[in-house]
């Protein structure tokens, strides 16, 4: 969506792209990176499942849902942006307020749904490591599918609120994208518009906080499990023997560590990409 340094107040109804440089280089790079990254993730998940000859775990189902959701969002949101650059016209000029509202809804939906899925992944790992008995008894593959369905349903309902008057979408610089109205300047429904923008940003910030807390809890639990495992072996075991036992423990916990590393990387990348936008919405 290639933001420029043009003040956003001048882009709300602009008929052309502000600060247009001639080539949507940033948008193209982001599109290729997103599509390539998600396709690679889906390929790796497929290969992993085939090699182990087993059904997908709860975590893998959630990761697959995250990749597919992000891939769908990228493929739906990028074409209007490219059309704006090709015609050197803004999104509102391209399709009017209806297209702007639809684009704003899509951006908010594909921003909220992946965040919820990421939070569900963090909670799943936290339960699996910190509360294994509860996880083994209550968490099934069907639970992951139900969670994804609920996430999509909640995100759809929440992001449709502006269509009912609670909130508003508007165009932002450089004129190629629309999103939640952040300041409601000159709007008769300013309180409702600001309430929705604050609700959206607060919800995303809360979910990111939960992800970090859960990841921290998993790290602490894994360290405690390793320490307890070594203590139970007794102090009479030789140093070499302890080292072999430690490596063996990490080998058995390799899958948990892989999941944690993957979740941590996704979280860092997601926060870096979304936090600036979330912060701006809350202003």
């Amino acid at each position: 969506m290639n933001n420029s340094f043009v003040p956003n107040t001048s882009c709300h109804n602009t008929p052309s792209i502000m600060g247009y440089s001639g080539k949507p280089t940033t948008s193209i790079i982001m599109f290729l990176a997103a599509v390539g990254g998600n396709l690679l993730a889906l390929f790796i998940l497929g290969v992993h499942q085939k090699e182990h000859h087993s059904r997908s775990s709860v975590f893998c189902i959630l990761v697959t849902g995250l990749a597919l959701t992000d891939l769908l969002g990228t493929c739906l949101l990028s074409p209007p942006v490219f059309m704006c650059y090709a015609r050197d016209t803004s999104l509102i000029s391209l399709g009017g307020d209806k297209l702007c509202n639809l684009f704003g809804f899509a951006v908010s939906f594909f921003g909220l749904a992946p965040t919820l899925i990421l939070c569900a992944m963090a909670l799943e790992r936290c339960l699996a490591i910190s509360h294994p008995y509860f996880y083994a008894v209550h968490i099934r593959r069907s639970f992951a599918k139900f969670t994804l369905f609920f996430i999509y349903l909640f995100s759809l309902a929440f992001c449709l609120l502006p269509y009912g008057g609670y909130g508003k979408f508007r165009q932002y610089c450089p004129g190629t994208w629309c999103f939640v109205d952040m300041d409601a300047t000159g709007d008769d429904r300013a309180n409702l518009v600001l309430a929705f923008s604050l609700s959206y940003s607060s919800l995303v910030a809360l979910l990111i906080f939960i992800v970090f807390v859960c990841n921290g809890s998993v790290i602490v639990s894994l360290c405690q499990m390793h320490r307890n495992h070594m203590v139970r072996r007794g102090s009479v075991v030789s140093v070499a023997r302890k080292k072999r036992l430690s490596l063996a423990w990490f080998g058995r916990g390799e899958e948990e560590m892989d999941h944690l590393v993957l979740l941590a990387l996704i979280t860092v990348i997601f926060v870096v990409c979304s936090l600036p936008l979330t912060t701006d919405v809350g202003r």
Side-chain angles (χ1 to χ4, degrees):
M1 285 173 281
N2 197 21
N3 297 332
S4 65
F5 292 102
V6 182
N8 272 324
T9 53
S10 63
C11 295
H12 296 167
N13 297 300
T14 181
S16 59
I17 299 177
M18 303 292 292
Y20 181 48
S21 60
K23 295 181 180 180
T25 306
T26 303
S27 297
I28 293 175
I29 293 175
M30 292 175 64
F31 172 78
L32 294 176
V35 172
N38 285 312
L39 290 177
L40 178 61
L42 293 172
F43 174 77
I44 293 175
L45 286 170
V47 171
H48 178 271
Q49 183 178 354
K50 186 176 180 179
E51 286 181 349
H52 290 77
H53 302 286
S54 61
R55 296 193 304 173
S56 298
S57 64
V58 174
F59 186 82
C60 288
I61 292 175
L62 293 175
V63 174
T64 302
L66 177 64
L68 288 174
T69 303
D70 191 62
L71 179 62
L72 179 62
T74 300
C75 293
L76 289 177
L77 292 172
S78 296
V81 176
F82 294 149
M83 289 181 64
C84 288
Y85 280 111
R87 300 185 181 185
D88 191 17
T89 184
S90 69
L91 197 64
I92 287 182
S93 297
L94 186 66
D97 290 335
K98 290 184 178 180
L99 179 59
C100 181
N101 290 336
L102 183 61
F103 193 93
F105 161 77
V107 172
S108 58
F109 175 85
F110 288 108
L112 180 60
T115 312
L116 286 166
I117 297 175
L118 186 63
C119 184
M121 291 165 57
L123 288 171
E124 188 270 344
R125 282 297 84 197
C126 185
L127 289 174
I129 301 301
S130 302
H131 306 281
Y133 178 77
F134 177 88
Y135 181 88
V137 172
H138 296 93
I139 307 301
R140 296 288 186 271
R141 295 174 70 252
S142 58
F143 181 81
K145 297 176 182 179
F146 172 79
T147 299
L148 288 175
F149 175 77
F150 175 78
I151 286 174
Y152 295 138
L153 186 63
F154 174 81
S155 300
L156 179 67
F158 188 88
C159 295
L160 282 175
L161 287 176
Y163 283 94
Y166 183 72
K168 180 183 177 184
F169 301 116
R170 77 178 185 193
Q171 183 174 271
Y172 286 94
C173 285
T176 58
W177 65 298
C178 294
F179 189 54
V180 177
D181 193 342
M182 301 179 186
D183 55 33
T185 302
D187 196 291
D188 296 335
R189 299 177 292 111
N191 291 335
L192 292 176
V193 172
L194 289 175
F196 178 76
S197 65
L198 182 60
S199 299
Y200 185 90
S201 60
S202 299
L203 177 58
V204 173
L206 176 62
L207 293 172
I208 293 175
F209 174 75
I210 293 174
V211 169
F212 275 105
V213 171
C214 290
N215 288 349
S217 176
V218 169
I219 292 174
V220 171
S221 296
L222 286 174
C223 292
Q224 289 178 344
M225 289 167 61
H226 177 251
R227 184 181 60 186
N228 294 337
H229 175 79
M230 298 306 298
V231 169
R232 285 196 299 269
R233 293 294 180 176
S235 57
V236 296
V237 182
S238 66
V239 175
R241 175 66 173 164
K242 283 185 178 181
K243 185 177 295 186
R244 288 195 298 271
L245 289 172
S246 179
L247 292 175
W249 184 89
F250 278 112
R252 288 194 298 271
E254 182 179 355
E255 185 176 3
E256 285 77 8
M257 291 300 297
D258 288 344
H259 289 170
L260 179 61
V261 171
L262 174 62
L263 184 58
L265 290 174
I266 294 174
T267 302
V268 171
I269 295 173
F270 183 84
V271 169
V272 170
C273 295
S274 66
L275 197 56
L277 182 59
T278 304
T279 305
D280 286 339
V281 174
R283 288 180 180 177

